[in-house]
Amino acid sequence: MPHTKPLLSIVTGFLMFAMPVAAQEVWITPDTPFVEIDVNNRFFVIERSADNEAVISAAFAKTSRPCPPFCVSPMQVAEGVETVGELELLAYLENEVQSGAGLLVDVRAPEIYAASTIPGSINLPVNLLTVADNNPFLIPILMQLGGVQLDGGSWDFTAAKDLALYCDGAWCEQAPLAVRNLLTAGYPAEKLYYYRGGMQDWLMLGLTVIAPE
Amino acid sequence: MVLKYFGFIAVLLSAGSALAVGRYTIDASPAPQFTPLQFVQNDLSALGETELRRMVFYAERALNTLTEVVLSAETQDTAAQNKINAQFRTAIVRLADAGLRSGLSSDQVADFFTQTILENAGQDMLDRTRNIGGGLDLRTLLRNVATSLVEPDGTAGNKEALHDALAAAITGLPPEESEHGTAVNTTPAQLARPVPFANATDAERAIIDRVVINGDQWEIRVAQGDSLSAIASAIYGDTLAFTTIFEANRATVSNPNVLVVDSLLVLPQP
């Protein structure tokens, strides 16, 4: 859909012009009123809340959870792993996730994920990615992600999917931990992306969240 | 997918009064009368699954806002009505736009929405839309909006066509200022002017006298010597309320201490 964005911009741009009494529109960027994605047979529109008075929900307003474990993450969580913001994540959803070349991974606990998350994401709780002999899930997961286990136990990740990982925000440890675990398992750093802002920054910008089915 | 979708509709139709379900149910609905599904003849088979999901998404969103428009129209809360009506217009344009991007004709878009309403909310919802003000003809609305979007190249002609389509079709909704400066509907209720505070100074009364009513909001044209705090003091009785004015005009005022003479400020109602 290469023509989608300009067309939508014109349509929505006209809306702003024609409706002076309406609240100020809230676009994602001056050129992007919203983003449409279709992932795993579900259609989503990611946009920002149109309510100019909206504020972040109380659950994400807390500033001072105890550290450890809720400590501030560095901008670069590991060498070679790119840190992304919201626009890069949206482009990743449109290009990588929609085509199946990449996955957006919420590494928080399943019940937290089920309550509210970023559209188009999957849930892969960080404790399933622990690199330890007593974690029976790691090998099947790596295979699901496209890794091929070679004779002798080493891995070929040439065909593995790109992964963009996030958790609650810059103060949560699950996503950095998941990145480190995957690197330890041999996942290539250039296939990993870290969305440092996480749910808190996503919600702070009024972006769409869903309760996955 | 398409066949499944129509199968779903058939099941719902056979279910009769169970049609008005879930969040779309509105109280005291009479027994629904179903219109024949003339749109079954529409060839939607050309739609890909993604396109169909997109149409369903925007049609359901438009129905959600329509439901609120209908409920809101039965109250006296004009502020809430304006808000939801604006959301409904946006939803309708997005639906029409999605249909055209999928290669549907404007008739097909209109039928698709009618079908969505019947499927999820029943004939009663269609009937109720006809009771809003002068009557809301959804088919005409969708067809006109979609038609005016056919060549979305942003030319003035298309903009006017889209605006006129929206304005003409939603006759029951509160008026908007058209882009060529004429009010398109009759005004149902005139917004009251701001009232001076008892201890207002002459300067403050002079400011209040300059407030003009535009649609559902107060506006004032900046004159030499004006300041946000002076205007705030006159309108809200509190110089610190300049932040309210500043916030409402962030699109045009970048610094609250610098106003442009002859520019127009929106004054939120207290």
Side-chain angles (χ1 to χ4, degrees):
Chain A
M1 300 181 285
H3 67 287
T4 302
K5 272 194 183 169
L7 172 68
L8 292 173
S9 300
I10 290 163
V11 170
T12 322
F14 164 61
L15 275 179
M16 282 179 76
F17 187 62
M19 294 165 189
V21 298
Q24 300 279 328
E25 292 271 352
V26 184
W27 288 16
I28 296 172
T29 74
D31 304 317
T32 312
F34 52 87
V35 170
E36 293 178 341
I37 55 166
D38 192 271
V39 177
N40 291 334
N41 300 329
R42 283 194 70 187
F43 175 84
F44 305 102
V45 172
I46 298 177
E47 58 203 332
R48 298 177 62 199
S49 166
D51 179 0
N52 294 148
E53 305 302 319
V55 295
I56 197 163
S57 68
F60 282 94
K62 283 188 180 176
T63 60
S64 303
R65 288 178 173 83
C67 164
F70 301 105
C71 302
V72 181
S73 298
M75 183 53 80
Q76 185 165 29
V77 75
E79 192 179 343
V81 175
E82 193 179 326
T83 299
V84 295
E86 291 73 27
L87 298 183
E88 293 80 12
L89 201 68
L90 288 169
Y92 179 86
L93 274 167
E94 279 188 292
N95 301 324
E96 305 281 309
V97 178
Q98 235 178 183
S99 72
L103 294 169
L104 177 58
V105 185
D106 184 336
V107 295
R108 300 175 301 160
E111 65 273 19
I112 308 284
Y113 169 80
S116 161
T117 193
I118 298 176
S121 63
I122 63 162
N123 183 216
L124 207 47
V126 64
N127 52 10
L128 298 185
L129 296 171
T130 310
V131 183
D133 289 340
N134 61 359
N135 177 7
F137 303 105
L138 184 65
I139 288 175
I141 287 173
L142 293 177
M143 289 170 73
Q144 278 287 312
L145 296 174
V148 177
Q149 197 164 23
L150 307 172
D151 294 341
S154 63
W155 288 84
D156 177 5
F157 288 105
T158 312
K161 291 179 189 292
D162 288 353
L163 305 176
L165 302 101
Y166 66 93
C167 47
D168 271 326
W171 43 267
C172 70
E173 62 173 357
Q174 295 112 312
L177 189 58
V179 167
R180 285 195 292 273
N181 285 344
L182 285 164
L183 289 172
T184 304
Y187 221 89
E190 66 271 17
K191 285 182 182 284
L192 298 177
Y193 299 89
Y194 170 47
Y195 174 38
R196 183 174 182 268
M199 290 305 297
Q200 188 172 40
D201 279 14
W202 189 263
L203 290 165
M204 195 65 222
L205 296 170
L207 287 160
T208 305
V209 291
I210 54 146
E213 285 172 348
Chain B
M1 181 67 186
V2 174
L3 282 176
K4 211 165 84 185
Y5 192 63
F6 281 124
F8 182 49
I9 295 162
V11 168
L12 280 169
L13 284 176
S14 63
S17 59
L19 251 175
V21 291
R23 60 202 154 133
Y24 301 116
T25 306
I26 40 186
D27 56 346
S29 51
Q33 307 264 310
F34 300 114
T35 53
L37 291 180
Q38 71 272 25
F39 36 75
V40 173
Q41 291 144 15
N42 273 339
D43 181 17
L44 300 184
S45 57
L47 285 188
E49 291 200 3
T50 297
E51 290 163 323
L52 188 56
R53 281 193 289 271
R54 180 168 65 195
M55 286 302 292
V56 171
F57 179 95
Y58 284 120
E60 288 188 346
R61 171 184 284 192
L63 173 57
N64 272 327
T65 55
L66 174 66
T67 307
E68 291 184 49
V69 165
V70 168
L71 294 175
S72 159
E74 294 165 5
T75 72
Q76 301 300 316
D77 188 346
T78 50
Q81 283 168 8
N82 286 338
K83 195 172 172 186
I84 185 60
N85 290 346
Q87 287 175 22
F88 177 64
R89 290 185 186 98
T90 306
I92 287 291
V93 172
R94 295 266 286 266
L95 171 63
D97 171 62
L100 292 168
R101 279 188 283 142
S102 303
L104 297 184
S105 70
S106 48
D107 273 337
Q108 283 174 315
V109 174
D111 285 343
F112 193 94
F113 190 42
T114 312
Q115 171 184 332
T116 303
I117 296 170
L118 283 172
E119 175 193 336
N120 291 288
Q123 181 68 37
D124 177 58
M125 177 59 72
L126 277 183
D127 293 342
R128 284 209 184 189
T129 62
R130 298 196 185 97
N131 296 332
I132 302 176
L136 177 56
D137 181 348
L138 286 169
R139 284 187 54 82
T140 308
L141 166 65
L142 258 294
R143 200 156 46 222
N144 290 350
V145 169
T147 304
S148 61
L149 281 174
V150 165
E151 289 176 11
D153 55 12
T155 62
N158 283 330
K159 286 179 181 173
E160 284 181 16
L162 176 54
H163 182 270
D164 291 347
L166 281 168
I170 314 183
T171 49
L173 304 185
E176 298 181 274
E177 193 172 290
S178 99
E179 68 182 88
H180 18 87
T182 52
V184 289
N185 287 319
T186 54
T187 308
Q190 183 77 358
L191 176 65
R193 294 186 53 79
V195 181
F197 287 86
N199 58 352
T201 63
D202 286 348
E204 287 172 340
R205 287 172 195 275
I207 287 174
I208 285 192
D209 283 344
R210 285 162 45 212
V211 171
V212 295
I213 294 171
N214 183 2
D216 67 347
Q217 64 189 16
W218 294 338
E219 293 177 348
I220 192 166
R221 198 166 287 284
V222 174
Q224 194 70 44
D226 275 349
S227 69
L228 287 188
S229 54
I231 296 172
S233 174
I235 305 292
Y236 309 113
D238 179 3
T239 54
L240 290 180
F242 79 89
T243 54
T244 306
I245 308 176
F246 179 51
E247 284 304 325
N249 293 277
R250 287 297 284 265
T252 53
V253 180
S254 53
N255 180 340
N257 298 314
V258 181
L259 298 180
V260 178
V261 171
D262 271 350
S263 65
L264 210 52
L265 295 176
V266 174
L267 304 172
Q269 290 146 50

